[in-house]
Amino acid sequence: MRTRITELFGIEHPIIQGGMHYVGFAEMAAAVSNAGGLGIITGLTQGTPEKLAAEIDRCKAMTDKPFGVNLTFLPALTPPDYPGLVEVIIKAGVPIVETAGNNPQQWLPALKDAGIKVIHKCTSVRHSLKAESIGCDAVSVDGFECGGHPGEDDIPNFILLPRAAEELKIPFVASGGMADGRSLVAAMAMGADGMNMGTRFIATQEAPVHDNVKQALIAASERDTRLIMRPLRNTERVLNNDAVERLLQKEKELGDKLGFADIADEVAGVYPRIMKDGDMDAGGWSCGMVAGLIHDIPTCKELIDRIMAEADTIIAQRLEGFRAA
Ligand SMILES: Cc1cc2nc3c(=O)[nH]c(=O)nc-3n(C[C@H](O)[C@H](O)[C@H](O)COP(=O)(O)O)c2cc1C
C-alpha cells in the first residue's frame, strides 16, 4: 500500500506505533520498524539525554529501518531536559520525531534544519491546523476512543477524521481505536493516509512489558476503560482497576476542590510498577477502548502482515463486492 505517509517516512506499511510511556523502548520500536511499520521510542521514558542516546543506539543495533522518537511536552514543575533530548535526537540522525502534548513550535526550527520529519499528535481539528501552519509534516489525529490523553473535546474518530480531512492539506494518520485491517480501511475511507496504534501494540510478543499487562488487555472488553483527571483538565483514558475506582471516588467526593496531590498515589510514578513488575492495581495506566478488539499476542510482524492482508481482502472482495453490476 502506498500512501502519503509511507512516502513521507520511507516505510513499507502505513502503520505507526505511537510513543508509549514505559512501553516504547528499543525492542518495541525495532520490532515494529522491522515489520515494515514505523516504530517509535518514547523520549521521556528514558529519563535523560544520555539514556535516550543509549536507547537510540540499541534500536539502531536491532533495525536498519527508519524509526522515530516521541517527545511529549507536558507542563511540569521541573521540566525534562528538552533541549538535551532534542540535541541527542539530531546528533543520532533519527529521521522522524513524533511530538505530542503542547505546541512543538519552539523545537521545529532545530528539527527541520536537521532534516527531521515531524508528526504532531492532536486531538482536535484546530490543533491539527495549528500544527500544519507551524510547519509539521503530518499529524496523528487522536480520537476520543484513544488510550492516553484524548483532550477535552470528546470527538470520536467517526467525526474527527472526516473533519480533519475536510480541513488539512498535510497527510494525517488515524489514531485511537485502531486494531486491525478493518480499522485501516475505515481510516483511509475517512481521509487518513494510515493509522497509529498504541494499545494494540502492547499485546505483542516483542512489547517489553510484564505478561500481566498483555493478559489484562486480552481479558478487557471495550467497556473497561475509564476517564480520569477530567476535573484537572488533564483527562486520561485508563484501564479500570482498584486504584482507578479509588481515584474516581476521590474525584466525586472532592469535586472542584480536587488537586493533583489528592490523586498522586494513584497516578504518580506508577508506570514502572505496572509495566515492569506487572502490579496491575498499582495505579491508572493508559489504555484504549480498543482493548475490546484484542484477543491474542502475535509478533509485530504477524500483526502487521495480518492487518495488511485483511485490509487487502476488505478492499478487493468485501467493498468491491458491493458494487452494483
Ligand atoms: C500505555 C500507554 C502509554 C502512552 N504514553 C504516551 C506518551 O508517553 N506520549 C504520547 O504522546 N502518547 C502516549 N500514548 C498514546 C499513544 O501514543 C497513542 O496515541 C494512543 O495509544 C492511540 O490510541 P489506542 O491506544 O486506541 O491505539 C500512550 C498510550 C498507551 C496505551
Side-chain angles (χ1 to χ4, degrees), residues 79-313:
D81 181 2
Y82 288 118
L85 295 170
V86 168
E87 197 184 321
V88 157
I89 290 168
I90 293 171
K91 264 200 188 143
V94 172
I96 298 145
V97 165
E98 178 197 48
T99 53
N102 286 347
N103 185 331
Q105 188 158 17
Q106 183 185 352
W107 311 102
L108 280 182
L111 296 171
K112 302 300 298 177
D113 282 354
I116 295 173
K117 302 276 185 253
V118 177
I119 179 165
H120 185 58
K121 189 155 50 193
C122 317
T123 58
S124 71
V125 175
R126 63 188 186 287
H127 292 146
S128 303
L129 284 171
K130 182 76 195 173
E132 178 175 272
S133 76
I134 63 173
C136 291
D137 298 282
V139 283
S140 197
V141 176
D142 223 9
F144 182 52
E145 308 87 336
C146 74
H149 294 270
E152 310 301 326
D153 286 357
D154 302 354
I155 311 295
N157 268 335
F158 245 86
I159 310 298
L160 191 59
L161 298 175
R163 277 290 298 123
E166 284 177 4
E167 305 262 351
L168 284 173
K169 290 185 193 68
I170 55 173
F172 68 96
V173 295
S175 179
M178 304 288 133
D180 50 34
R182 296 170 299 185
S183 322
L184 181 58
V185 175
M188 312 280 264
M190 287 189 276
D193 277 281
M195 69 178 179
N196 178 63
M197 302 195 295
T199 306
R200 173 66 264 202
F201 273 123
I202 303 176
T204 57
Q205 295 290 330
E206 297 94 336
V209 302
H210 198 284
D211 191 53
N212 289 356
V213 180
K214 303 180 188 185
Q215 297 304 332
L217 290 175
I218 289 185
S221 86
E222 63 277 17
R223 300 174 64 238
D224 290 331
T225 69
R226 297 290 181 271
L227 295 174
I228 61 171
M229 296 192 283
R230 176 131 277 180
L232 303 177
R233 291 191 63 77
N234 183 29
T235 302
E236 182 180 2
R237 185 180 296 285
V238 297
L239 190 67
N240 196 18
N241 61 27
D242 288 351
V244 169
E245 297 276 0
R246 218 165 43 236
L247 187 160
L248 289 172
Q249 190 57 34
K250 288 185 198 173
E251 286 187 358
K252 216 179 195 175
E253 283 165 14
L254 292 170
D256 290 349
K257 294 188 193 69
L258 184 87
F260 184 78
D262 297 311
I263 56 165
D265 279 353
E266 283 80 25
V267 291
V270 298
Y271 270 79
R273 287 165 61 196
I274 292 157
M275 297 299 176
K276 286 188 172 162
D277 307 339
D279 176 1
M280 298 317 293
D281 285 318
W285 60 282
S286 295
C287 175
M289 289 176 162
V290 75
L293 293 172
I294 296 175
H295 310 301
D296 62 356
I297 307 174
T299 65
C300 287
K301 180 160 170 48
E302 284 164 355
L303 177 63
I304 289 181
D305 284 351
R306 185 167 80 195
I307 291 170
M308 297 314 297
E310 192 186 0
D312 204 48
T313 306

